[in-house]
Amino acid sequence: MIEVIYILWLRQLKHYWRSKARLIGSLGQPLLFMVAFGFGFGPMYTRASGGANYMDYLAPGIVSMSILFTAVFSGLEVIWDRQFGFLKETFVAPISRTEIMIGKTLGGATIAMIQGLIVLSLTYVLGFRVPGLGSLALGLVFMFLIALFFTGLGLTIASKMDDMHGFQLIMNFLIMPIFFLSGALFPLENLPPAIYFISRIDPLTYGVDGLRGVLTGMNMFGIYNDLAVIVVLSALICTIGTLLFSKIEA
Amino acid sequence: MQNILSVQSLTKKFDDLTAVDGISFDVEAGSIFAFLGPNGAGKSTTIKMLTTVLKPTSGEIRINGFNVLKEQDKARSSFGIVFQDYSLDSELTAYENMVYHSVVYKVPKAERDERIKNALQIVGLWDRRDDFVKKYSGGMKRRLEIARALVHYPKVLFLDEPTVGLDPQTRKSIWNHIMTLNEERGMTIFLTTHYMDEAEAMADKIAIIDHGKIIESGTLEEIMERTETESLEESFLKLTGRDIRDENGNGGSKMRFMKSMGRRHGH
Ligand SMILES: Nc1ncnc2c1ncn2[C@@H]1O[C@H](COP(=O)(O)OP(=O)(O)OP(=O)(O)O)[C@@H](O)[C@H]1O
Ligand SMILES: [Mg+2]
C-alpha cells in the first residue's frame, strides 16, 4: 500500500524535476504579479490603509497563487496520462483506485508545495519577512492544505474530461475567478453583493486568509476557522475524486 | 485440459454501436489462442473488457478462476497485457518503467531486480535500460512493453497486435520469445494480429470475429476444412469478405484510425 503510493508519488516528482522548463516557466507568473502589483498598487494600498505595507499583504497571496496553479495543473496531468496511454498501465494493475488517488494527490500536492516554497523564498528578495519559525511551520501547514485541495480538484475535474480541449474553459471560468476573488491581491471589502458572495464560497479565500494570518497577523475569519474550512473541503474533494476516479475507464 | 479463460455472452455497446455482440469462447491453460478479425471487428474492445479496462455492457468473464467483474484485483494479478497503443511513460527510463510496474503489481522486493533483469534480457534491452523511453524506436518500445508484462509472472498474456509496424527480424524475435515463454512457463497466450502467417505458425486455436460476432473458431485444420481453403489467409478472406473496412461505412472506425495515428505522432 505505502510502496504503491510512494512509486506513484515518485513518478510525478521525477516528471517535475526533469522538466526544468516547466519548473522555471511557472515561476514567471507569480514573479510578474508580485512586481507589477507590488510596485503598482503598493503606494495606493499604503495610503488607503493608513501606512501598512502592501508587500506583507501580497506575498501570502502570491504564494497561494503559485500553489493554486501548480496543483490544479498537476491534477489535470492525468488527462495526458490518458492520452499517452499510460493511465491504462496503472488502471489494469491490481491496486485500488483509492491508492491511485492518494498517490496522485500527494504527488501533485508535493510539487505544488515545492513551487510555493520557491515563491516564498523569492518574496524575501522583495522585502517580505516571515516573523519566525513557528509562523513558518504553520504557514507550511496551510500551504500543504491549499496544495492538497487544489490537486484533488484538478484530479476530480480530470476524471470527467476526455482531453485537454476543456482546459481553457476551466482556467478562465474556474481557476482565474478562484484566484482573483480570493483576496490574494486585494482585500475583500466593500464589494458588490454578487462578488462578495462568490468570494465567500471560494475555497482559496480561506486558504489565503489562513496563510496570511500565520505569516503576517492580518486575518479576517480567524485562523482556526480557516483551518477547519480547508481541512473539511480537502477531505470532501478527495472523497469525491476517489469516487469519480473509480468510475472512469482508461 | 482446464480453461484458464472463459467468456460468456460478452457484449459491449458504445451508444448505438454494438462493438462486441454476445461472444462466448474458452481458452485452454497453456495454449496459444489467436483472435483474428478485420479492422473495427471488436478485437481490442474484447481485450479491454477481458483486462478490466472497459466495463462490459453484459456478459461474464473468468480468468484463472476469478470473476473479472467481481474479483478484479485477483484477476488483474493473473494476466499481463500489451495494448495495441503504446502505454509506456516516455519521461521515465526503461528501468524505471519496469520498477513502476513491479511495484504496482506487488512483485516481492527481494526478487524485483532479478526479475526485471531477466525480462529485459529476454527482449535484448538490458544494455539500454537507463535510456529514456522517448529515445526508443517503435520496436524497442514494443519489446519493452512485452518485457514489462512478464515481470509479475502472469498466467495469461494478452497481446493486442504486438508486432504491428515492426521489421521482420524484430517480429520473429518477439514471437520466438513468446513461444519460449509459452513452452517453458506454460504461459497462456491470447493474441491478435493481422499477419495471418503469424497466427498460422503459432496458434493452437483460432477464433475469427467480424462485426462483433465470432463467425468461426477451432484449430487451423478445422477452419481450413470447413471453409474449404488451403491457408488461413484464404479462409479469413472467404469468411470476412474482400471489401476494405475503413471505407464501407463501418461506423466510426476510420475516425478511430485517424485518432490513433495522431496519438502515435504525439510520442
Ligand atoms: N471508446 C469508443 N467509443 C466508441 N466507439 C468505439 C470505442 N472504441 C472502439 N469503438 C468502436 O468499436 C468497434 C470495434 O473497435 P475495436 O477497436 O475493438 O476494433 P479492432 O477489432 O481492435 O480493430 P483494429 O484491427 O483496427 O484494431 C469499432 O467500430 C470502433 O469504432
Ligand atoms: Mg484493435
Side-chain angles (χ1 to χ4, degrees), chain B residues 43-44 84 160-161 256:
Chain B
K43 302 181 296 296
S44 296
Q84 185 170 356
D160 196 355
E161 297 189 34
R256 209 189 66 80

Side-chain angles (χ1 to χ4, degrees), chain A residues 1-12 14-15 18-19 81-97 99-100 104 163 246-250, chain B residues 12 14 48 51-56 72-74 76-77 79 81 83 85-89 91-93 96-97 99-101 103-107 109 112 132 148 263 266-267:
Chain A
M1 167 100 185
I2 298 296
E3 221 196 342
V4 170
I5 291 170
Y6 169 73
I7 199 84
L8 271 96
W9 176 88
L10 187 65
R11 168 174 176 259
Q12 265 183 299
K14 282 181 174 163
H15 275 216
R18 283 170 189 177
S19 139
D81 280 357
R82 171 147 49 187
Q83 280 192 318
F84 292 131
F86 190 75
L87 197 63
K88 283 202 286 270
E89 152 77 355
T90 309
F91 267 50
V92 295
I95 53 178
S96 73
R97 307 301 100 155
E99 283 170 288
I100 300 177
K104 291 208 168 285
D163 48 42
S246 58
K247 293 216 175 70
I248 61 172
E249 299 178 325
Chain B
K12 180 70 186 182
F14 294 112
K48 284 181 187 162
T51 56
T52 73
V53 176
L54 284 178
K55 279 198 184 69
Q72 283 197 334
D73 285 352
K74 283 182 180 151
R76 284 175 177 143
S77 307
F79 64 74
I81 160 105
F83 292 104
D85 300 316
Y86 294 117
S87 62
L88 294 161
D89 185 341
E91 301 295 326
L92 297 183
T93 66
E96 287 170 336
N97 267 284
V99 171
Y100 184 93
H101 188 90
V103 173
V104 292
Y105 277 85
K106 304 184 167 124
V107 174
K109 207 168 183 168
R112 227 174 266 160
F132 282 101
R148 184 176 68 175
R263 212 181 283 163
H267 275 275

Side-chain angles (χ1 to χ4, degrees), chain B residues 191-202:
Chain B
L191 64 95
T192 78
T193 177
H194 289 297
Y195 300 110
M196 294 302 136
D197 52 324
E198 291 181 346
E200 231 175 48
M202 302 203 27

Side-chain angles (χ1 to χ4, degrees), chain B residues 6-241:
Chain B
S6 148
V7 173
Q8 254 140 52
S9 343
L10 188 62
T11 300
K12 180 70 186 182
K13 292 195 170 109
F14 294 112
D15 301 323
D16 52 353
L17 173 89
T18 306
V20 175
D21 195 357
I23 61 171
S24 304
F25 59 87
D26 295 310
V27 176
E28 279 177 15
S31 68
I32 298 184
F33 187 89
F35 196 52
L36 309 177
N39 290 138
K43 302 181 296 296
S44 296
T45 306
T46 303
I47 289 196
K48 284 181 187 162
M49 287 191 283
L50 301 183
T51 56
T52 73
V53 176
L54 284 178
K55 279 198 184 69
T57 309
S58 62
E60 282 223 17
I61 309 164
R62 291 190 88 81
I63 290 183
N64 197 21
F66 301 116
N67 184 323
V68 169
L69 297 170
K70 299 200 180 99
E71 301 161 284
Q72 283 197 334
D73 285 352
K74 283 182 180 151
R76 284 175 177 143
S77 307
S78 312
F79 64 74
I81 160 105
V82 175
F83 292 104
Q84 185 170 356
D85 300 316
Y86 294 117
S87 62
L88 294 161
D89 185 341
S90 50
E91 301 295 326
L92 297 183
T93 66
Y95 199 83
E96 287 170 336
N97 267 284
M98 298 291 279
V99 171
Y100 184 93
H101 188 90
S102 317
V103 173
V104 292
Y105 277 85
K106 304 184 167 124
V107 174
K109 207 168 183 168
E111 294 175 36
R112 227 174 266 160
D113 288 344
E114 195 53 40
R115 285 208 207 176
I116 292 176
K117 185 173 181 184
N118 207 311
L120 284 175
Q121 277 171 341
I122 288 179
V123 298
L125 287 176
W126 177 243
D127 293 334
R128 303 289 301 269
R129 64 188 176 278
D130 290 327
D131 285 9
F132 282 101
V133 170
K134 60 185 166 196
K135 294 191 181 156
Y136 270 23
S137 74
M140 290 164 76
K141 284 187 197 161
R142 259 299 182 247
R143 273 145 61 201
L144 178 59
E145 288 191 310
I146 291 169
R148 184 176 68 175
L150 301 176
V151 168
H152 60 282
Y153 292 171
K155 292 258 184 350
V156 186
L157 181 61
F158 292 96
L159 302 161
D160 196 355
E161 297 189 34
T163 51
V164 68
L166 303 183
D167 61 39
Q169 294 89 325
T170 312
R171 272 168 58 190
K172 213 169 161 196
S173 101
I174 285 182
W175 288 127
N176 276 340
H177 296 319
I178 291 168
M179 289 285 246
T180 315
L181 288 163
N182 171 253
E183 277 161 24
E184 286 177 3
R185 293 194 196 163
M187 192 185 291
T188 310
I189 310 287
F190 184 106
L191 64 95
T192 78
T193 177
H194 289 297
Y195 300 110
M196 294 302 136
D197 52 324
E198 291 181 346
E200 231 175 48
M202 302 203 27
D204 299 313
K205 283 262 175 63
I206 296 168
I208 297 177
I209 180 174
D210 196 10
H211 299 297
K213 289 198 171 86
I214 292 185
I215 50 174
E216 182 62 89
S217 65
T219 61
L220 175 64
E221 291 71 28
E222 286 166 2
I223 292 177
M224 290 196 301
E225 198 183 305
R226 277 200 289 269
T227 52
E228 297 170 345
T229 49
E230 298 296 309
S231 72
L232 183 58
E233 180 142 355
E234 282 176 41
S235 339
F236 185 88
L237 289 173
K238 195 160 179 181
L239 286 162
T240 59

Side-chain angles (χ1 to χ4, degrees), chain A residues 161-177:
Chain A
M161 269 167 67
D162 288 332
D163 48 42
M164 276 289 184
H165 293 314
F167 185 72
Q168 283 301 330
L169 201 72
I170 287 162
M171 271 304 161
N172 292 332
F173 288 97
L174 188 68
I175 307 307
M176 285 304 190

